[in-house]
Amino acid sequence: MNQKGQVLMEAAMILAITIAGLFLLLKKGMQIPLDFYLDDLIEKVLICEYQKQLDCKARLQQKLRKFHFQNIVIQSNSLQNEKSVSIIAQSPFGFKINKESFLKLNLTNL
Amino acid sequence: MKNQNGFVQLHSIFIIIFIMMIIFSIGFIGAVIQVQQEIRSSCLKNSISIQNDIIRSEKILLQMNVASTTLRLAYYAAVAASLFPPTAAAGQAQMKTVQTLRKNLDQAQKLLLQITNAKAKVESLALLANLNQLSWQKKQIWSFYLHLISWVRPIQLPKMAVHAVGSDLAPNYELDTDYKHSQRLELSWQMLFSTNKRSQKFLQDQAAFSLTCGASPERKQNKWSIEIIADKF
């Protein structure tokens, strides 16, 4: 291998490492807003359930599918003034999410 | 740059800044979602609490109807008694007593209305100020590369949705027919952003976020409840 070839090889390796690094950084970076987005979605579902709207869970599932989430399991519970929703799913970036949130609002016992 | 090295350096700087911009933008979207969540959560909890206080006062005011009706009937009976000579004196005395009681009740009713409306207004404006402050604080962090306009404005401030039946002293009160609408508290938050002049060399972007939140009362067969006002999910 001559000097030019070695430089080319080194450049290609550095480029590959840089691209892989950037890809991983973006992948990790996307997790943060995605996390916020999921928290927001869960809260919206809880509010939707308090509003006694129908098909809140179905709409959540639809939104998650739009973001290419897979193996989605949604569970919701309702006690007197408290509602909770949990989501287990596989994100489009390959990691598994497991989120649970609850909301307590006193809307009826006045 | 005159030589090739300089050109490569300039190019690398441009790419690094561009990548940084993308990372900032992702972070910004995350931050906006978080602000939206905080505003919605605070708005809903406070609106519910304000509606709760108004409903409590309305319940008291409507319960006073029993006393106002009783006193009105007692007053008419006393007026009738005062018209007949045998019971005229007793009737006159009764009229005075009942009228004093009616005046007291009238004052209590008006005071309850004024205090509740004033409290609801103050609390709603305090909520509005808090939410504006919250959105303004978060806005500052991103001002180095974004031009942001963010505000929370009232669509409807709440008040007791009742009216007096007749213009008599210590009248009966009843709920307005459009009480859901006139008593509701509804706020709207909007955020418009665009990359500022400096950043526009690397990335041009603009978008808007908005949400509506609040609470309104609901009364079905004498049972009160609160309905949440939120954007369609």
Side-chain angles (χ1 to χ4, degrees):
Chain A
M1 213 181 279
N2 59 16
Q3 239 189 352
K4 266 193 178 175
Q6 196 183 342
V7 169
L8 206 69
M9 281 288 286
E10 278 174 6
M13 275 172 66
I14 290 168
L15 196 71
I17 291 167
T18 313
I19 290 171
L22 274 176
F23 179 71
L24 284 174
L25 188 75
L26 272 177
K27 200 172 146 182
K28 274 276 170 201
M30 280 307 286
Q31 276 187 34
I32 302 162
L34 202 65
D35 222 40
F36 288 139
Y37 180 69
L38 282 173
D39 286 337
D40 190 51
L41 272 186
I42 294 180
E43 201 179 90
K44 280 182 182 168
V45 175
L46 290 167
I47 291 167
C48 175
E49 296 216 333
Y50 269 110
Q51 286 178 309
K52 291 173 188 159
Q53 286 182 32
L54 299 170
D55 64 0
C56 297
K57 276 202 278 184
R59 273 186 258 174
L60 173 65
Q61 199 138 21
Q62 208 179 347
K63 291 208 173 199
L64 290 173
R65 287 232 168 87
K66 222 187 256 180
F67 274 82
H68 306 290
F69 278 91
Q70 288 173 330
N71 307 324
I72 306 162
V73 181
I74 302 167
Q75 279 186 320
S76 65
N77 275 312
S78 180
L79 285 168
Q80 264 190 327
N81 289 329
E82 193 178 298
K83 290 184 191 295
S84 68
V85 169
S86 69
I87 305 175
I88 301 171
Q90 189 87 30
S91 87
F93 303 107
F95 57 90
K96 196 178 174 184
I97 56 144
N98 190 349
K99 281 192 167 284
E100 191 176 5
S101 184
F102 70 91
L103 188 64
K104 194 173 181 180
L105 297 173
N106 183 14
L107 301 180
T108 48
N109 299 325
L110 307 173
Chain B
M1 292 287 162
K2 278 174 185 168
N3 59 18
Q4 250 189 347
N5 262 352
F7 181 75
V8 170
Q9 270 174 14
L10 191 74
H11 222 79
S12 316
I13 290 170
F14 187 84
I15 290 169
I16 288 168
I17 292 175
F18 184 73
I19 290 165
M20 290 289 279
M21 285 290 185
I22 291 175
I23 292 169
F24 281 144
S25 301
I26 293 169
F28 174 68
I29 292 166
V32 169
I33 294 171
Q34 218 183 4
V35 174
Q36 210 171 1
Q37 230 181 321
E38 279 176 41
I39 288 180
R40 192 195 304 118
S41 176
S42 174
C43 172
L44 282 182
K45 281 182 182 157
N46 284 292
S47 312
I48 290 168
S49 159
I50 292 168
Q51 285 298 337
N52 232 323
D53 288 345
I54 298 177
I55 289 171
R56 203 172 298 136
S57 295
E58 278 172 347
K59 273 178 163 179
I60 296 170
L61 192 68
L62 296 179
Q63 277 165 3
M64 283 178 176
N65 283 346
V66 180
S68 66
T69 307
T70 311
L71 285 175
R72 198 175 310 111
L73 291 175
Y75 181 73
Y76 293 150
V79 170
S82 68
L83 295 176
F84 296 104
T87 54
Q92 292 275 347
Q94 183 70 3
M95 261 171 70
K96 269 187 186 170
T97 315
V98 173
Q99 199 65 345
T100 312
L101 289 172
R102 288 181 81 194
K103 269 182 193 163
N104 291 342
L105 183 65
D106 191 64
Q107 275 175 355
Q109 285 172 323
K110 282 180 179 147
L111 202 65
L112 183 65
L113 262 164
Q114 281 167 0
I115 289 174
T116 309
N117 282 338
K119 194 173 171 233
K121 199 170 181 180
V122 168
E123 284 177 354
S124 305
L125 291 176
L127 171 65
L128 200 64
N130 278 342
L131 296 181
N132 267 316
Q133 199 185 3
L134 183 78
S135 104
W136 188 79
Q137 273 173 351
K138 303 277 176 176
K139 188 175 98 173
Q140 292 299 94
I141 308 168
W142 301 93
S143 56
F144 70 98
Y145 90 111
L146 288 176
H147 178 63
L148 283 161
I149 306 167
S150 164
W151 73 95
V152 184
R153 66 181 177 90
I155 294 176
Q156 165 88 39
L157 290 178
K159 64 177 174 66
M160 279 177 86
V162 287
H163 63 271
V165 183
S167 54
D168 215 356
L169 195 65
N172 282 15
Y173 280 87
E174 63 181 31
L175 271 182
D176 294 344
T177 42
D178 67 336
Y179 71 96
K180 268 189 184 185
H181 183 265
S182 56
Q183 195 177 310
R184 84 190 198 281
L185 167 58
E186 193 175 344
L187 303 177
S188 155
W189 171 73
Q190 275 183 317
M191 183 186 254
L192 308 172
F193 80 88
S194 60
T195 40
N196 61 24
K197 269 187 184 172
R198 204 174 24 180
S199 318
Q200 273 175 10
K201 290 171 196 160
F202 309 100
L203 189 70
Q204 273 197 18
D205 202 4
Q206 60 176 36
F209 296 91
S210 67
L211 75 83
T212 310
C213 64
S216 68
E218 165 76 39
R219 193 188 191 212
K220 270 184 192 162
Q221 293 156 348
N222 279 341
K223 273 196 171 178
W224 286 94
S225 60
I226 294 170
E227 282 181 352
I228 291 173
I229 299 169
D231 292 319
K232 203 165 185 275
F233 172 51

Short mmCIF file of all heavy atoms in Angstrom, two decimals, chain A residues 47 50-51 105 107, chain B residues 36 39-52 124 127-128 131 152-158 180-181 183-189 211-217 226-231:
data_model
loop_
_atom_site.label_atom_id
_atom_site.label_comp_id
_atom_site.label_asym_id
_atom_site.label_seq_id
_atom_site.Cartn_x
_atom_site.Cartn_y
_atom_site.Cartn_z
N ILE A 47 -56.32 12.90 30.56
CA ILE A 47 -57.30 13.99 30.46
C ILE A 47 -58.48 13.54 29.60
O ILE A 47 -59.64 13.78 29.94
CB ILE A 47 -56.64 15.26 29.90
CG1 ILE A 47 -55.66 15.82 30.93
CG2 ILE A 47 -57.68 16.33 29.55
CD1 ILE A 47 -54.73 16.88 30.42
N TYR A 50 -60.70 11.49 31.64
CA TYR A 50 -61.47 12.33 32.56
C TYR A 50 -62.61 13.04 31.83
O TYR A 50 -63.65 13.32 32.40
CB TYR A 50 -60.58 13.38 33.24
CG TYR A 50 -59.99 12.89 34.55
CD1 TYR A 50 -58.64 12.62 34.68
CD2 TYR A 50 -60.79 12.71 35.67
CE1 TYR A 50 -58.10 12.19 35.87
CE2 TYR A 50 -60.27 12.27 36.87
CZ TYR A 50 -58.91 12.01 36.96
OH TYR A 50 -58.40 11.57 38.14
N GLN A 51 -62.38 13.34 30.55
CA GLN A 51 -63.42 14.00 29.75
C GLN A 51 -64.49 13.02 29.28
O GLN A 51 -65.42 13.40 28.59
CB GLN A 51 -62.78 14.67 28.52
CG GLN A 51 -62.02 15.94 28.86
CD GLN A 51 -61.37 16.55 27.64
OE1 GLN A 51 -60.68 15.86 26.89
NE2 GLN A 51 -61.59 17.82 27.43
N LEU A 105 -57.70 14.02 39.91
CA LEU A 105 -58.49 15.24 39.83
C LEU A 105 -59.85 15.01 40.47
O LEU A 105 -60.48 13.98 40.23
CB LEU A 105 -58.70 15.66 38.36
CG LEU A 105 -57.47 16.02 37.52
CD1 LEU A 105 -57.88 16.24 36.07
CD2 LEU A 105 -56.77 17.24 38.06
N LEU A 107 -63.32 15.84 40.28
CA LEU A 107 -64.29 16.51 39.39
C LEU A 107 -65.75 16.25 39.79
O LEU A 107 -66.64 16.93 39.32
CB LEU A 107 -64.10 16.02 37.95
CG LEU A 107 -62.74 16.24 37.31
CD1 LEU A 107 -62.73 15.69 35.90
CD2 LEU A 107 -62.37 17.70 37.28
N GLN B 36 -45.31 22.80 27.63
CA GLN B 36 -46.72 22.59 27.30
C GLN B 36 -47.39 21.75 28.41
O GLN B 36 -48.47 22.06 28.86
CB GLN B 36 -46.77 21.84 25.99
CG GLN B 36 -47.99 22.12 25.17
CD GLN B 36 -47.88 21.52 23.79
OE1 GLN B 36 -46.89 20.88 23.43
NE2 GLN B 36 -48.89 21.71 22.99
N ILE B 39 -47.67 23.79 31.66
CA ILE B 39 -48.74 24.79 31.56
C ILE B 39 -50.10 24.11 31.65
O ILE B 39 -50.98 24.53 32.40
CB ILE B 39 -48.59 25.61 30.25
CG1 ILE B 39 -47.40 26.56 30.40
CG2 ILE B 39 -49.87 26.38 29.93
CD1 ILE B 39 -47.11 27.43 29.23
N ARG B 40 -50.26 23.01 30.91
CA ARG B 40 -51.55 22.30 30.92
C ARG B 40 -51.89 21.80 32.32
O ARG B 40 -53.00 21.99 32.81
CB ARG B 40 -51.51 21.13 29.93
CG ARG B 40 -52.89 20.55 29.69
CD ARG B 40 -52.85 19.20 29.02
NE ARG B 40 -52.13 19.19 27.78
CZ ARG B 40 -51.03 18.46 27.56
NH1 ARG B 40 -50.53 17.72 28.52
NH2 ARG B 40 -50.43 18.48 26.41
N SER B 41 -50.89 21.20 32.95
CA SER B 41 -51.11 20.61 34.27
C SER B 41 -51.50 21.69 35.29
O SER B 41 -52.48 21.55 36.02
CB SER B 41 -49.83 19.89 34.67
OG SER B 41 -49.93 19.40 35.93
N SER B 42 -50.70 22.77 35.32
CA SER B 42 -50.97 23.85 36.27
C SER B 42 -52.32 24.51 35.98
O SER B 42 -53.10 24.80 36.89
CB SER B 42 -49.83 24.86 36.18
OG SER B 42 -50.10 25.96 36.95
N CYS B 43 -52.60 24.72 34.69
CA CYS B 43 -53.85 25.36 34.28
C CYS B 43 -55.05 24.53 34.71
O CYS B 43 -56.01 25.05 35.29
CB CYS B 43 -53.83 25.56 32.77
SG CYS B 43 -55.36 26.13 32.08
N LEU B 44 -54.97 23.21 34.47
CA LEU B 44 -56.11 22.35 34.80
C LEU B 44 -56.36 22.30 36.30
O LEU B 44 -57.49 22.48 36.76
CB LEU B 44 -55.87 20.93 34.29
CG LEU B 44 -56.09 20.71 32.79
CD1 LEU B 44 -55.86 19.26 32.42
CD2 LEU B 44 -57.48 21.14 32.38
N LYS B 45 -55.27 22.07 37.07
CA LYS B 45 -55.44 21.95 38.52
C LYS B 45 -56.01 23.23 39.12
O LYS B 45 -56.91 23.19 39.96
CB LYS B 45 -54.11 21.57 39.17
CG LYS B 45 -53.86 20.08 38.97
CD LYS B 45 -52.63 19.57 39.59
CE LYS B 45 -52.52 18.08 39.24
NZ LYS B 45 -51.19 17.58 39.30
N ASN B 46 -55.49 24.37 38.68
CA ASN B 46 -55.97 25.65 39.23
C ASN B 46 -57.38 25.96 38.76
O ASN B 46 -58.19 26.48 39.53
CB ASN B 46 -55.02 26.78 38.84
CG ASN B 46 -53.76 26.74 39.67
OD1 ASN B 46 -53.79 26.99 40.86
ND2 ASN B 46 -52.66 26.39 39.05
N SER B 47 -57.69 25.65 37.49
CA SER B 47 -59.04 25.92 36.99
C SER B 47 -60.07 25.10 37.76
O SER B 47 -61.15 25.60 38.09
CB SER B 47 -59.17 25.56 35.52
OG SER B 47 -58.15 26.05 34.78
N ILE B 48 -59.71 23.85 38.04
CA ILE B 48 -60.63 22.98 38.77
C ILE B 48 -60.86 23.54 40.18
O ILE B 48 -61.99 23.60 40.67
CB ILE B 48 -60.09 21.53 38.81
CG1 ILE B 48 -60.19 20.92 37.41
CG2 ILE B 48 -60.85 20.66 39.82
CD1 ILE B 48 -59.45 19.62 37.23
N SER B 49 -59.76 24.00 40.79
CA SER B 49 -59.88 24.55 42.14
C SER B 49 -60.75 25.81 42.13
O SER B 49 -61.60 26.00 43.02
CB SER B 49 -58.47 24.83 42.66
OG SER B 49 -58.49 25.76 43.66
N ILE B 50 -60.58 26.66 41.12
CA ILE B 50 -61.38 27.90 41.02
C ILE B 50 -62.86 27.55 40.80
O ILE B 50 -63.75 28.10 41.46
CB ILE B 50 -60.84 28.82 39.89
CG1 ILE B 50 -59.46 29.36 40.26
CG2 ILE B 50 -61.80 29.97 39.59
CD1 ILE B 50 -58.70 30.04 39.13
N GLN B 51 -63.11 26.59 39.91
CA GLN B 51 -64.51 26.16 39.66
C GLN B 51 -65.13 25.58 40.92
O GLN B 51 -66.29 25.81 41.23
CB GLN B 51 -64.56 25.13 38.54
CG GLN B 51 -64.36 25.69 37.15
CD GLN B 51 -65.42 26.70 36.73
OE1 GLN B 51 -66.54 26.71 37.25
NE2 GLN B 51 -65.08 27.56 35.81
N ASN B 52 -64.31 24.83 41.65
CA ASN B 52 -64.77 24.23 42.90
C ASN B 52 -65.27 25.29 43.88
O ASN B 52 -66.34 25.14 44.48
CB ASN B 52 -63.57 23.51 43.55
CG ASN B 52 -63.90 22.09 43.89
OD1 ASN B 52 -65.01 21.80 44.30
ND2 ASN B 52 -62.94 21.22 43.71
N SER B 124 -57.79 33.74 38.90
CA SER B 124 -57.60 33.50 37.47
C SER B 124 -56.47 34.36 36.91
O SER B 124 -55.64 33.89 36.13
CB SER B 124 -58.87 33.82 36.68
OG SER B 124 -59.93 33.10 37.19
N LEU B 127 -53.22 33.01 38.10
CA LEU B 127 -52.87 31.82 37.30
C LEU B 127 -52.29 32.24 35.95
O LEU B 127 -51.27 31.72 35.49
CB LEU B 127 -54.12 30.95 37.11
CG LEU B 127 -54.01 29.79 36.14
CD1 LEU B 127 -53.02 28.75 36.64
CD2 LEU B 127 -55.37 29.12 35.92
N LEU B 128 -52.94 33.22 35.35
CA LEU B 128 -52.50 33.74 34.05
C LEU B 128 -51.07 34.29 34.16
O LEU B 128 -50.21 34.00 33.32
CB LEU B 128 -53.46 34.86 33.63
CG LEU B 128 -53.51 35.25 32.19
CD1 LEU B 128 -54.02 34.11 31.34
CD2 LEU B 128 -54.41 36.46 32.00
N LEU B 131 -48.56 31.38 34.64
CA LEU B 131 -48.33 30.63 33.41
C LEU B 131 -47.48 31.45 32.42
O LEU B 131 -46.61 30.91 31.76
CB LEU B 131 -49.65 30.22 32.75
CG LEU B 131 -50.52 29.26 33.56
CD1 LEU B 131 -51.78 28.91 32.80
CD2 LEU B 131 -49.77 27.99 33.90
N VAL B 152 -49.75 33.56 27.27
CA VAL B 152 -50.99 32.89 27.70
C VAL B 152 -52.04 33.98 27.80
O VAL B 152 -51.81 35.01 28.43
CB VAL B 152 -50.82 32.22 29.09
CG1 VAL B 152 -52.08 31.46 29.47
CG2 VAL B 152 -49.63 31.29 29.10
N ARG B 153 -53.17 33.77 27.15
CA ARG B 153 -54.21 34.80 27.20
C ARG B 153 -55.54 34.18 27.62
O ARG B 153 -55.78 32.99 27.36
CB ARG B 153 -54.34 35.53 25.86
CG ARG B 153 -54.84 34.66 24.76
CD ARG B 153 -54.93 35.38 23.44
NE ARG B 153 -55.36 34.41 22.43
CZ ARG B 153 -56.62 34.18 22.13
NH1 ARG B 153 -57.57 34.82 22.74
NH2 ARG B 153 -56.93 33.28 21.21
N PRO B 154 -56.37 34.97 28.29
CA PRO B 154 -57.66 34.41 28.71
C PRO B 154 -58.67 34.42 27.56
O PRO B 154 -58.78 35.42 26.85
CB PRO B 154 -58.10 35.36 29.82
CG PRO B 154 -57.42 36.65 29.51
CD PRO B 154 -56.17 36.35 28.75
N ILE B 155 -59.37 33.34 27.40
CA ILE B 155 -60.47 33.31 26.42
C ILE B 155 -61.75 33.66 27.19
O ILE B 155 -62.60 34.40 26.73
CB ILE B 155 -60.60 31.92 25.76
CG1 ILE B 155 -59.34 31.66 24.91
CG2 ILE B 155 -61.86 31.82 24.91
CD1 ILE B 155 -59.29 30.30 24.27
N GLN B 156 -61.83 33.13 28.41
CA GLN B 156 -63.00 33.43 29.26
C GLN B 156 -62.58 33.35 30.72
O GLN B 156 -62.02 32.34 31.15
CB GLN B 156 -64.11 32.42 28.94
CG GLN B 156 -65.23 32.35 29.93
CD GLN B 156 -66.35 33.33 29.63
OE1 GLN B 156 -66.70 33.55 28.49
NE2 GLN B 156 -66.91 33.92 30.66
N LEU B 157 -62.85 34.41 31.48
CA LEU B 157 -62.57 34.38 32.93
C LEU B 157 -63.87 34.01 33.64
O LEU B 157 -64.95 34.41 33.21
CB LEU B 157 -62.05 35.73 33.40
CG LEU B 157 -60.64 36.11 32.93
CD1 LEU B 157 -60.27 37.50 33.42
CD2 LEU B 157 -59.59 35.11 33.39
N PRO B 158 -63.77 33.26 34.72
CA PRO B 158 -65.01 32.75 35.34
C PRO B 158 -65.69 33.76 36.26
O PRO B 158 -65.06 34.67 36.79
CB PRO B 158 -64.48 31.58 36.17
CG PRO B 158 -63.12 31.97 36.56
CD PRO B 158 -62.58 32.80 35.44
N LYS B 180 -72.73 27.06 31.82
CA LYS B 180 -71.51 26.33 31.45
C LYS B 180 -70.54 27.25 30.73
O LYS B 180 -69.34 27.18 30.91
CB LYS B 180 -71.88 25.18 30.50
CG LYS B 180 -72.15 23.90 31.18
CD LYS B 180 -72.26 22.86 30.10
CE LYS B 180 -72.63 21.53 30.64
NZ LYS B 180 -72.62 20.52 29.59
N HIS B 181 -71.11 28.07 29.87
CA HIS B 181 -70.30 28.97 29.05
C HIS B 181 -69.80 30.17 29.86
O HIS B 181 -68.63 30.50 29.85
CB HIS B 181 -71.13 29.43 27.84
CG HIS B 181 -70.36 30.30 26.91
ND1 HIS B 181 -70.41 31.67 26.99
CD2 HIS B 181 -69.49 29.99 25.92
CE1 HIS B 181 -69.61 32.17 26.06
NE2 HIS B 181 -69.04 31.18 25.40
N GLN B 183 -69.57 30.60 33.09
CA GLN B 183 -68.79 30.33 34.31
C GLN B 183 -67.43 29.69 34.01
O GLN B 183 -66.59 29.57 34.89
CB GLN B 183 -69.61 29.41 35.23
CG GLN B 183 -69.05 29.36 36.65
CD GLN B 183 -69.89 28.51 37.56
OE1 GLN B 183 -71.10 28.68 37.61
NE2 GLN B 183 -69.27 27.59 38.27
N ARG B 184 -67.25 29.29 32.76
CA ARG B 184 -66.04 28.53 32.49
C ARG B 184 -64.78 29.40 32.54
O ARG B 184 -64.85 30.61 32.31
CB ARG B 184 -66.14 27.83 31.14
CG ARG B 184 -65.79 28.66 29.94
CD ARG B 184 -66.16 27.92 28.68
NE ARG B 184 -65.48 28.48 27.53
CZ ARG B 184 -65.84 29.57 26.90
NH1 ARG B 184 -66.88 30.26 27.34
NH2 ARG B 184 -65.17 30.02 25.87
N LEU B 185 -63.68 28.74 32.85
CA LEU B 185 -62.38 29.41 32.79
C LEU B 185 -61.62 28.76 31.65
O LEU B 185 -61.41 27.55 31.64
CB LEU B 185 -61.62 29.22 34.12
CG LEU B 185 -60.13 29.59 34.13
CD1 LEU B 185 -59.93 31.04 33.75
CD2 LEU B 185 -59.53 29.36 35.50
N GLU B 186 -61.27 29.57 30.68
CA GLU B 186 -60.57 29.01 29.53
C GLU B 186 -59.38 29.90 29.16
O GLU B 186 -59.52 31.10 29.00
CB GLU B 186 -61.54 28.89 28.35
CG GLU B 186 -60.97 28.04 27.23
CD GLU B 186 -61.97 27.82 26.10
OE1 GLU B 186 -63.18 28.05 26.29
OE2 GLU B 186 -61.51 27.41 25.02
N LEU B 187 -58.22 29.26 29.09
CA LEU B 187 -57.00 29.99 28.74
C LEU B 187 -56.38 29.38 27.49
O LEU B 187 -56.58 28.20 27.20
CB LEU B 187 -55.99 29.91 29.88
CG LEU B 187 -56.42 30.41 31.26
CD1 LEU B 187 -55.30 30.18 32.27
CD2 LEU B 187 -56.77 31.89 31.22
N SER B 188 -55.65 30.22 26.80
CA SER B 188 -55.00 29.72 25.58
C SER B 188 -53.52 30.10 25.61
O SER B 188 -53.17 31.23 25.93
CB SER B 188 -55.71 30.33 24.38
OG SER B 188 -54.86 30.37 23.28
N TRP B 189 -52.68 29.13 25.31
CA TRP B 189 -51.24 29.38 25.28
C TRP B 189 -50.75 29.22 23.85
O TRP B 189 -51.14 28.27 23.16
CB TRP B 189 -50.52 28.39 26.19
CG TRP B 189 -49.02 28.40 26.06
CD1 TRP B 189 -48.18 29.36 26.52
CD2 TRP B 189 -48.19 27.41 25.43
NE1 TRP B 189 -46.88 29.03 26.22
CE2 TRP B 189 -46.85 27.85 25.55
CE3 TRP B 189 -48.44 26.21 24.77
CZ2 TRP B 189 -45.78 27.12 25.04
CZ3 TRP B 189 -47.37 25.49 24.27
CH2 TRP B 189 -46.06 25.95 24.41
N LEU B 211 -52.04 25.53 22.90
CA LEU B 211 -52.94 24.65 23.65
C LEU B 211 -54.03 25.47 24.32
O LEU B 211 -53.85 26.65 24.58
CB LEU B 211 -52.19 23.78 24.66
CG LEU B 211 -51.64 24.31 25.96
CD1 LEU B 211 -52.70 24.36 27.04
CD2 LEU B 211 -50.55 23.37 26.44
N THR B 212 -55.14 24.83 24.57
CA THR B 212 -56.26 25.45 25.26
C THR B 212 -56.51 24.62 26.51
O THR B 212 -56.43 23.40 26.47
CB THR B 212 -57.52 25.41 24.38
OG1 THR B 212 -57.17 25.91 23.10
CG2 THR B 212 -58.65 26.22 24.96
N CYS B 213 -56.77 25.29 27.61
CA CYS B 213 -57.06 24.53 28.83
C CYS B 213 -58.03 25.30 29.70
O CYS B 213 -58.20 26.51 29.53
CB CYS B 213 -55.77 24.25 29.59
SG CYS B 213 -55.00 25.76 30.16
N GLY B 214 -58.63 24.60 30.63
CA GLY B 214 -59.57 25.24 31.54
C GLY B 214 -60.55 24.25 32.12
O GLY B 214 -60.36 23.03 32.00
N ALA B 215 -61.59 24.80 32.73
CA ALA B 215 -62.62 23.94 33.34
C ALA B 215 -63.95 24.65 33.32
O ALA B 215 -64.01 25.88 33.38
CB ALA B 215 -62.23 23.60 34.77
N SER B 216 -65.01 23.86 33.21
CA SER B 216 -66.35 24.44 33.24
C SER B 216 -67.24 23.59 34.13
O SER B 216 -66.97 22.41 34.34
CB SER B 216 -66.92 24.53 31.82
OG SER B 216 -67.16 23.25 31.32
N PRO B 217 -68.31 24.18 34.67
CA PRO B 217 -69.17 23.41 35.58
C PRO B 217 -70.22 22.60 34.83
O PRO B 217 -70.52 22.88 33.67
CB PRO B 217 -69.84 24.51 36.40
CG PRO B 217 -69.95 25.64 35.45
CD PRO B 217 -68.78 25.56 34.52
N ILE B 226 -67.35 18.88 37.44
CA ILE B 226 -66.53 19.81 36.65
C ILE B 226 -66.08 19.11 35.37
O ILE B 226 -65.69 17.95 35.40
CB ILE B 226 -65.32 20.30 37.47
CG1 ILE B 226 -65.79 21.14 38.66
CG2 ILE B 226 -64.36 21.11 36.61
CD1 ILE B 226 -64.72 21.47 39.65
N GLU B 227 -66.18 19.83 34.29
CA GLU B 227 -65.71 19.28 33.01
C GLU B 227 -64.39 19.94 32.62
O GLU B 227 -64.25 21.15 32.77
CB GLU B 227 -66.75 19.54 31.91
CG GLU B 227 -67.91 18.59 31.98
CD GLU B 227 -68.93 18.84 30.87
OE1 GLU B 227 -68.82 19.84 30.15
OE2 GLU B 227 -69.84 18.02 30.77
N ILE B 228 -63.50 19.13 32.13
CA ILE B 228 -62.19 19.66 31.72
C ILE B 228 -62.26 20.19 30.29
O ILE B 228 -62.84 19.56 29.43
CB ILE B 228 -61.13 18.53 31.80
CG1 ILE B 228 -60.87 18.16 33.26
CG2 ILE B 228 -59.85 18.94 31.11
CD1 ILE B 228 -59.98 16.97 33.42
N ILE B 229 -61.66 21.36 30.11
CA ILE B 229 -61.54 21.88 28.75
C ILE B 229 -60.10 21.64 28.30
O ILE B 229 -59.16 22.09 28.94
CB ILE B 229 -61.84 23.40 28.69
CG1 ILE B 229 -63.28 23.68 29.16
CG2 ILE B 229 -61.63 23.96 27.29
CD1 ILE B 229 -63.58 25.15 29.39
N ALA B 230 -59.95 20.89 27.25
CA ALA B 230 -58.60 20.62 26.73
C ALA B 230 -58.70 20.38 25.23
O ALA B 230 -59.77 20.08 24.71
CB ALA B 230 -58.01 19.40 27.42
N ASP B 231 -57.55 20.50 24.59
CA ASP B 231 -57.54 20.26 23.14
C ASP B 231 -57.91 18.82 22.85
O ASP B 231 -57.63 17.93 23.65
CB ASP B 231 -56.15 20.53 22.57
CG ASP B 231 -55.80 22.01 22.65
OD1 ASP B 231 -56.69 22.81 22.37
OD2 ASP B 231 -54.67 22.32 23.02
#
